[in-house]
Amino acid sequence: MDASAFEQIVGKEHARAGGGAVDGVLVALEVRPGSAEEVGAVLRRAGELGAAVLPRGGGTKLGWANPLAPAGDLLILDLTRLDAPLDLQPDEGIAHLGAGVRLATLTAAAAAIGQTSLLSPLRDGDTVGGSIAADPVGLDWQLDRRLRADLLGLEVVLASGEVTRCGGSVVKNVTGFDLVRLYCGSLGSLGAITRATVRLHPLPERSELRRRDADSLAGALELAGSLLGSGAAPAGAVVQPARAGPGASLIWRVEGREPAVERALDRFPGDPADASLWEAARELRANPPVDGVSVRLAGRPTDLGAACAALAQRGGSLRLALPLAGVVLGQLPGDGLAPLVADAATAGLALAVERAPLELRRSIDAFGPPPGGLALMRGLKQRFDPGRLLAPGRVAGRI
Ligand SMILES: Cc1cc2nc3c(=O)[nH]c(=O)nc-3n(C[C@H](O)[C@H](O)[C@H](O)COP(=O)(O)OP(=O)(O)OC[C@H]3O[C@@H](n4cnc5c(N)ncnc54)[C@H](O)[C@@H]3O)c2cc1C
């Protein structure tokens, strides 16, 4: 692909040929636009040339989801130059952010004014836009405490090059369809996110980490069930198998105002735990082992035992369970994946492959059997991106 067509838009220094491969597909060109309008012009030009475009933030999750299936040359749309605004408004409880703002930068800037957000960094370099597009499941994830719940507004450039806005700056911000949530988790397949408005929260007055150990995984899962039913309202919780032996630990965080934290500690007591334990769990979450297949099984919080059993039956093992989210993260030998996909569907568990060798990712949909609304999803993709310009093949159903 001729770089000069894009150099005219972004400047010579921000377009370069080559740059490795994604999912075994060679990258023809990397382009780094400096504004939403430039993003639009790049997308229009790429469409005219019949190229496929993969938006990229920090590039930490490009190996997630289904492999890319471009019909033409692959262009990487690097959005890291969009690192403004970084406009924090604690009085309003909101932040306006460029898609290229690094989560580490945001978190440090927010902490300096006594605030925090759900966009907490996990990997070096991860960005606001990439995190919204990937909608990752973190240790603090809860049914009512997810990134998408804190997303108020987005600016998104469509495949046609049109710069669009949805949502706003206030909590009741949607009239009509809630497009903000549609883009969250869309993996770059519906548009390039160029700006976001998210909620800020005051840093908690007090935060405590507690643990309880059990002789078995089943015992630790039972403890997790008791924690959920105790009224302690934890801010995060993990069940982690012991490094050696059959035991497992429940580790949880309570935070908030002083009296609320005291009450929570009374309702479900545990031993004080070192912060390094939480960090180790985070690390395990961020960097699954490179061997075999990393999977995520999700159900109701009461389904954790069934999900762990399904994993074990196919030769897999638990890495971490997230009781507040009903999520189990496991590691599995490659030949256990196909049967696990079938087992999960029968048990009503949602399965996603987070990391697997490319050959396996080509042979199995990373999101399991086709979801119920697949025909509607295809219709949406067709409407948003009729030329299949953006991230072709990546989302569920390989659309
Ligand atoms: C609440 C939360 C929890 C997290 N939990 C985990 C976790 O448990 N485990 C973990 O490993 N990481 C976790 N992270 C970190 C995070 O998953 C990634 O590092 C981050 O989501 C990817 O950011 P990135 O900029 O590197 O995206 P990239 O890897 O560059 O892109 C990820 C996907 O988004 C698309 N994309 C990127 N930028 C854009 C854009 N501007 N517009 C449209 N599409 C785009 C890409 O095409 C790709 O499909 C968490 C982050 C948050 C905010």
Side-chain angles (χ1 to χ4, degrees), residues 211-230 239 248-250 252 268-269 323:
R211 73 181 288 174
R212 279 203 206 175
D213 300 324
D215 295 340
S216 63
L217 177 58
L221 294 177
E222 209 171 296
L223 282 174
S226 308
L227 170 66
L228 291 187
S230 68
V239 169
S249 305
L250 170 68
W252 72 99
F268 195 82

Short mmCIF file of all heavy atoms in Angstrom, two decimals, residues 211-230 239 248-250 252 268-269 323:
data_model
loop_
_atom_site.label_atom_id
_atom_site.label_comp_id
_atom_site.label_asym_id
_atom_site.label_seq_id
_atom_site.Cartn_x
_atom_site.Cartn_y
_atom_site.Cartn_z
N ARG A 211 -8.12 -11.79 54.14
CA ARG A 211 -8.05 -13.12 53.53
C ARG A 211 -8.57 -14.19 54.48
O ARG A 211 -8.55 -14.02 55.70
CB ARG A 211 -6.61 -13.46 53.12
CG ARG A 211 -5.71 -13.78 54.30
CD ARG A 211 -4.31 -14.08 53.87
NE ARG A 211 -4.17 -15.37 53.20
CZ ARG A 211 -3.05 -15.78 52.65
NH1 ARG A 211 -1.98 -15.00 52.65
NH2 ARG A 211 -2.98 -16.96 52.10
N ARG A 212 -9.06 -15.27 53.87
CA ARG A 212 -9.36 -16.48 54.63
C ARG A 212 -8.87 -17.65 53.77
O ARG A 212 -9.09 -17.66 52.56
CB ARG A 212 -10.85 -16.64 54.88
CG ARG A 212 -11.36 -15.82 56.04
CD ARG A 212 -12.64 -16.47 56.51
NE ARG A 212 -13.51 -15.52 57.15
CZ ARG A 212 -14.74 -15.80 57.57
NH1 ARG A 212 -15.26 -17.00 57.39
NH2 ARG A 212 -15.48 -14.89 58.16
N ASP A 213 -8.23 -18.60 54.43
CA ASP A 213 -7.71 -19.75 53.70
C ASP A 213 -8.61 -20.96 53.94
O ASP A 213 -9.19 -21.10 55.02
CB ASP A 213 -6.28 -20.07 54.15
CG ASP A 213 -5.36 -18.87 53.90
OD1 ASP A 213 -5.57 -18.19 52.89
OD2 ASP A 213 -4.47 -18.61 54.74
N ALA A 214 -8.72 -21.81 52.92
CA ALA A 214 -9.51 -23.04 53.05
C ALA A 214 -8.64 -24.22 52.61
O ALA A 214 -7.67 -24.04 51.87
CB ALA A 214 -10.76 -22.94 52.18
N ASP A 215 -9.04 -25.42 53.06
CA ASP A 215 -8.26 -26.62 52.72
C ASP A 215 -8.46 -27.07 51.28
O ASP A 215 -7.71 -27.87 50.76
CB ASP A 215 -8.69 -27.81 53.61
CG ASP A 215 -8.35 -27.51 55.06
OD1 ASP A 215 -7.49 -26.65 55.27
OD2 ASP A 215 -8.97 -28.15 55.95
N SER A 216 -9.53 -26.57 50.67
CA SER A 216 -9.84 -27.02 49.31
C SER A 216 -10.43 -25.85 48.53
O SER A 216 -10.89 -24.85 49.11
CB SER A 216 -10.88 -28.14 49.35
OG SER A 216 -12.09 -27.62 49.90
N LEU A 217 -10.45 -26.02 47.20
CA LEU A 217 -11.06 -25.00 46.35
C LEU A 217 -12.54 -24.87 46.68
O LEU A 217 -13.08 -23.75 46.78
CB LEU A 217 -10.85 -25.39 44.88
CG LEU A 217 -11.48 -24.47 43.85
CD1 LEU A 217 -10.98 -23.05 44.00
CD2 LEU A 217 -11.20 -24.98 42.44
N ALA A 218 -13.19 -26.02 46.86
CA ALA A 218 -14.63 -25.98 47.17
C ALA A 218 -14.86 -25.18 48.46
O ALA A 218 -15.82 -24.39 48.55
CB ALA A 218 -15.17 -27.40 47.32
N GLY A 219 -13.97 -25.35 49.44
CA GLY A 219 -14.10 -24.62 50.70
C GLY A 219 -13.96 -23.11 50.48
O GLY A 219 -14.70 -22.30 51.06
N ALA A 220 -13.00 -22.73 49.63
CA ALA A 220 -12.80 -21.30 49.36
C ALA A 220 -13.98 -20.70 48.61
O ALA A 220 -14.40 -19.56 48.87
CB ALA A 220 -11.50 -21.10 48.58
N LEU A 221 -14.57 -21.50 47.69
CA LEU A 221 -15.74 -20.99 46.96
C LEU A 221 -16.93 -20.84 47.89
O LEU A 221 -17.74 -19.92 47.75
CB LEU A 221 -16.09 -21.93 45.79
CG LEU A 221 -15.04 -21.99 44.67
CD1 LEU A 221 -15.45 -23.01 43.61
CD2 LEU A 221 -14.83 -20.63 44.02
N GLU A 222 -17.02 -21.74 48.85
CA GLU A 222 -18.09 -21.64 49.84
C GLU A 222 -17.93 -20.37 50.67
O GLU A 222 -18.89 -19.64 50.93
CB GLU A 222 -18.04 -22.86 50.74
CG GLU A 222 -19.39 -23.26 51.30
CD GLU A 222 -19.29 -24.61 51.99
OE1 GLU A 222 -19.00 -25.62 51.32
OE2 GLU A 222 -19.47 -24.61 53.21
N LEU A 223 -16.68 -20.10 51.05
CA LEU A 223 -16.41 -18.85 51.78
C LEU A 223 -16.83 -17.64 50.94
O LEU A 223 -17.40 -16.68 51.46
CB LEU A 223 -14.91 -18.74 52.09
CG LEU A 223 -14.36 -19.56 53.25
CD1 LEU A 223 -12.84 -19.42 53.31
CD2 LEU A 223 -14.98 -19.08 54.57
N ALA A 224 -16.53 -17.72 49.65
CA ALA A 224 -16.89 -16.60 48.76
C ALA A 224 -18.40 -16.39 48.77
O ALA A 224 -18.88 -15.24 48.82
CB ALA A 224 -16.39 -16.86 47.35
N GLY A 225 -19.15 -17.50 48.76
CA GLY A 225 -20.61 -17.40 48.80
C GLY A 225 -21.06 -16.73 50.09
O GLY A 225 -21.96 -15.88 50.10
N SER A 226 -20.40 -17.10 51.21
CA SER A 226 -20.78 -16.49 52.49
C SER A 226 -20.45 -15.00 52.50
O SER A 226 -21.21 -14.19 53.02
CB SER A 226 -20.01 -17.16 53.65
OG SER A 226 -20.17 -18.53 53.60
N LEU A 227 -19.32 -14.65 51.89
CA LEU A 227 -18.95 -13.22 51.81
C LEU A 227 -20.04 -12.44 51.07
O LEU A 227 -20.48 -11.38 51.52
CB LEU A 227 -17.60 -13.08 51.09
CG LEU A 227 -17.17 -11.66 50.70
CD1 LEU A 227 -16.91 -10.81 51.95
CD2 LEU A 227 -15.90 -11.68 49.83
N LEU A 228 -20.48 -13.01 49.93
CA LEU A 228 -21.50 -12.30 49.13
C LEU A 228 -22.80 -12.13 49.90
O LEU A 228 -23.49 -11.12 49.76
CB LEU A 228 -21.78 -13.07 47.83
CG LEU A 228 -20.66 -13.11 46.79
CD1 LEU A 228 -21.13 -13.76 45.51
CD2 LEU A 228 -20.19 -11.70 46.49
N GLY A 229 -23.13 -13.14 50.71
CA GLY A 229 -24.40 -13.07 51.44
C GLY A 229 -24.30 -12.35 52.77
O GLY A 229 -25.31 -12.21 53.48
N SER A 230 -23.12 -11.86 53.13
CA SER A 230 -22.91 -11.32 54.48
C SER A 230 -23.34 -9.86 54.63
O SER A 230 -23.43 -9.35 55.73
CB SER A 230 -21.42 -11.41 54.84
OG SER A 230 -20.69 -10.51 54.01
N VAL A 239 -10.69 -15.59 44.38
CA VAL A 239 -10.34 -16.89 44.97
C VAL A 239 -9.13 -17.38 44.18
O VAL A 239 -9.16 -17.43 42.95
CB VAL A 239 -11.50 -17.90 44.83
CG1 VAL A 239 -11.02 -19.30 45.20
CG2 VAL A 239 -12.65 -17.49 45.72
N ALA A 248 -6.94 -23.27 48.92
CA ALA A 248 -7.20 -22.04 48.14
C ALA A 248 -7.53 -20.92 49.13
O ALA A 248 -7.93 -21.17 50.27
CB ALA A 248 -8.36 -22.25 47.18
N SER A 249 -7.34 -19.68 48.68
CA SER A 249 -7.60 -18.53 49.56
C SER A 249 -8.66 -17.63 48.95
O SER A 249 -8.73 -17.48 47.73
CB SER A 249 -6.34 -17.67 49.72
OG SER A 249 -5.30 -18.47 50.19
N LEU A 250 -9.45 -17.05 49.82
CA LEU A 250 -10.36 -15.97 49.43
C LEU A 250 -9.72 -14.67 49.91
O LEU A 250 -9.37 -14.55 51.09
CB LEU A 250 -11.72 -16.16 50.10
CG LEU A 250 -12.69 -14.98 49.98
CD1 LEU A 250 -13.15 -14.79 48.53
CD2 LEU A 250 -13.92 -15.18 50.87
N TRP A 252 -10.23 -10.43 49.79
CA TRP A 252 -11.23 -9.43 49.42
C TRP A 252 -10.86 -8.06 49.98
O TRP A 252 -10.08 -7.95 50.92
CB TRP A 252 -12.63 -9.85 49.85
CG TRP A 252 -12.92 -9.81 51.32
CD1 TRP A 252 -13.57 -8.83 52.01
CD2 TRP A 252 -12.59 -10.82 52.29
NE1 TRP A 252 -13.68 -9.16 53.32
CE2 TRP A 252 -13.09 -10.37 53.53
CE3 TRP A 252 -11.94 -12.05 52.22
CZ2 TRP A 252 -12.94 -11.11 54.70
CZ3 TRP A 252 -11.78 -12.79 53.39
CH2 TRP A 252 -12.28 -12.31 54.61
N PHE A 268 -18.13 -9.71 58.05
CA PHE A 268 -17.40 -10.87 57.49
C PHE A 268 -15.92 -10.69 57.83
O PHE A 268 -15.16 -10.12 57.04
CB PHE A 268 -17.62 -10.98 55.98
CG PHE A 268 -17.22 -12.32 55.44
CD1 PHE A 268 -18.07 -13.42 55.53
CD2 PHE A 268 -15.97 -12.50 54.85
CE1 PHE A 268 -17.69 -14.65 55.05
CE2 PHE A 268 -15.58 -13.75 54.36
CZ PHE A 268 -16.45 -14.82 54.46
N PRO A 269 -15.50 -11.17 58.99
CA PRO A 269 -14.12 -10.95 59.42
C PRO A 269 -13.13 -11.84 58.67
O PRO A 269 -13.51 -12.89 58.13
CB PRO A 269 -14.13 -11.33 60.91
CG PRO A 269 -15.52 -11.72 61.25
CD PRO A 269 -16.30 -11.89 59.99
N PRO A 323 -15.47 -13.89 42.41
CA PRO A 323 -16.83 -14.21 42.89
C PRO A 323 -17.84 -13.10 42.66
O PRO A 323 -19.02 -13.39 42.43
CB PRO A 323 -16.63 -14.46 44.39
CG PRO A 323 -15.17 -14.47 44.65
CD PRO A 323 -14.47 -13.91 43.46
#
